[in-house]
Amino acid sequence: MGSFAAIVVAFLGYNAQVTPLTCAVRSLSAFMVFAALGIVMRYLLWQAEPVVLPNTGVGGSASNRNHGIAPGASVTDALESAEVD
């Protein structure tokens, strides 16, 4: 996210014919701001609880379709339940 923002700002600064120092400072600032935003977003998404959708009732319950694996189960849980079967 930060790299993309820095490239866009550098391209726009180059097209606007600003001085190289100004272009570099703006690109570095955009990189730092958007890299920090990307890190914060990644942390928040990593900490979020998985969303479990309710059963729709079409075609049976989700646990029957998935052979006992509940929606939102971790990969470790799914592999352990597959080894038991």
Side-chain angles (χ1 to χ4, degrees):
M1 196 168 175
S3 299
F4 181 72
I7 289 171
V8 169
V9 169
F11 176 74
L12 293 174
Y14 179 75
N15 282 340
Q17 297 180 353
V18 297
T19 64
L21 180 62
T22 304
C23 187
V25 168
R26 288 179 183 178
S27 296
L28 182 63
S29 299
F31 174 78
M32 293 181 71
V33 168
F34 283 98
L37 181 64
I39 291 170
V40 168
M41 287 174 53
R42 180 182 292 182
Y43 176 77
L44 291 176
L45 290 174
W46 183 63
Q47 294 294 324
E49 293 292 325
V51 176
V52 178
L53 300 175
N55 293 335
T56 59
V58 178
S61 68
S63 62
N64 290 339
R65 286 190 309 252
N66 294 329
H67 306 290
I69 301 171
S74 68
V75 174
T76 307
D77 295 338
L79 289 175
E80 287 176 357
S81 68
E83 290 175 359
V84 173
D85 293 337

